[in-house]
Amino acid sequence: IARVSKKRGDAIEATEINEAKPGQGTVVIVFEQGFVPGKEEIKIPIPTFDGGIISLAFPFYRTEVWPQRVPLRVMDDAYTEYGQTQELADVSAMAVKDLKEQLPLMLVRQALRGYTKYQLQKQSGDQLGLAGQLVANIYNIVSESADRRSWLTLPHNAQSIRINLDAGDRTLHLASLHNQKTVNLSVPENRTVLLRVVGVNNQLITQSFNL
């Protein structure tokens, strides 16, 4: 905000606005850590008054076993640290929030689905007796599954850091908890280089773009 205000000619109070000096370019690093974990399923069997069983299935996230956020350290070719990335968005938390918002409608759909299965089960019992009711019970339990479509291709969390470097060919060393990678960049004066880093499968994958 301070940099934009300065370019607009407005008065600013900030003394450190992380702005590139003459002869420097800017490198913005966006670090995407892992992927959003998949949903799991819980099945709830509900007995009916006439001896049947209605099975309902719901998706949920097992958040207690999720990986913790790990920052990416950024160093120069002499391993002098520039800093580490800060969190931009917790995408996994957004996925949990989205699931919670869907819960009321999900409960309505499951209630209607359970009632429909109960009617089919009752008809099977009336027409085919205990054998028909048993087959309907088994079908209700086996066929029921939760909608586990998820945000599997999105990062677990997104982090970023902005640094200013002298223009020219530069070498950066990137390090997370278990991974390291060296990246060679050409930094143009008074321009911005976007470096995308994806941490997945115990490796760091990088892409760079001149803006």
Side-chain angles (χ1 to χ4, degrees), residues 7 18 23 29 59 61 66 84 95 102 116 124 131 136 139 176-177 186 201-202 205 208:
K7 290 182 179 180
N18 197 17
I29 300 174
Y61 286 106
W66 280 8
Q84 61 185 26
Q102 295 180 33
T116 301
S124 298
Y139 174 77
S176 62
L177 184 61
S186 179
N201 295 332
N202 293 323
I205 304 171
S208 62

Side-chain angles (χ1 to χ4, degrees), residues 10-186:
D10 300 334
I12 60 172
E13 298 180 358
T15 57
E16 178 55 59
I17 59 176
N18 197 17
E19 187 177 42
K21 299 176 181 179
Q24 288 187 330
T26 300
V27 177
V28 176
I29 300 174
V30 177
F31 177 44
E32 302 174 13
Q33 180 190 353
F35 292 108
V36 174
K39 296 175 183 176
E40 298 190 31
E41 178 183 78
I42 181 173
K43 287 189 176 183
I44 304 175
I46 301 176
T48 62
F49 293 106
D50 53 1
I53 296 178
I54 301 298
S55 180
L56 301 180
F58 296 93
F60 73 100
Y61 286 106
R62 194 181 295 275
T63 57
E64 67 272 11
V65 297
W66 280 8
Q68 295 183 347
R69 181 182 66 84
V70 177
L72 184 72
R73 297 169 55 206
V74 183
M75 296 164 283
D76 63 11
D77 50 3
Y79 290 91
T80 301
E81 190 165 340
Y82 288 119
Q84 61 185 26
T85 53
Q86 302 294 322
E87 187 174 81
L88 288 176
D90 188 336
V91 185
S92 292
M94 295 167 61
V96 172
K97 182 175 181 293
D98 178 70
L99 180 59
K100 288 182 178 179
E101 291 175 348
Q102 295 180 33
L103 188 58
L105 182 59
M106 190 183 305
L107 290 174
V108 173
R109 287 201 306 262
Q110 287 296 86
L112 294 174
R113 182 181 175 90
Y115 178 76
T116 301
K117 284 191 170 185
Y118 170 71
Q119 293 298 324
L120 293 174
Q121 177 182 286
K122 187 176 180 181
Q123 291 178 11
S124 298
D126 293 340
Q127 296 175 8
L128 302 176
L130 292 177
Q133 188 176 39
L134 177 61
V135 171
N137 285 343
I138 295 175
Y139 174 77
N140 286 342
I141 295 174
V142 173
S143 64
E144 185 65 25
S145 62
D147 183 359
R148 289 189 288 175
R149 290 176 295 179
S150 189
W151 304 12
L152 297 177
T153 59
L154 296 181
H156 177 50
N157 62 73
Q159 307 169 38
S160 180
I161 185 174
R162 173 190 172 106
I163 58 177
N164 301 307
L165 303 175
D166 293 336
D169 295 333
R170 304 302 303 268
T171 299
L172 295 180
H173 296 283
L174 311 175
S176 62
L177 184 61
H178 302 294
N179 310 306
Q180 295 186 4
K181 189 176 181 67
T182 300
V183 180
N184 296 314
L185 295 176
S186 179

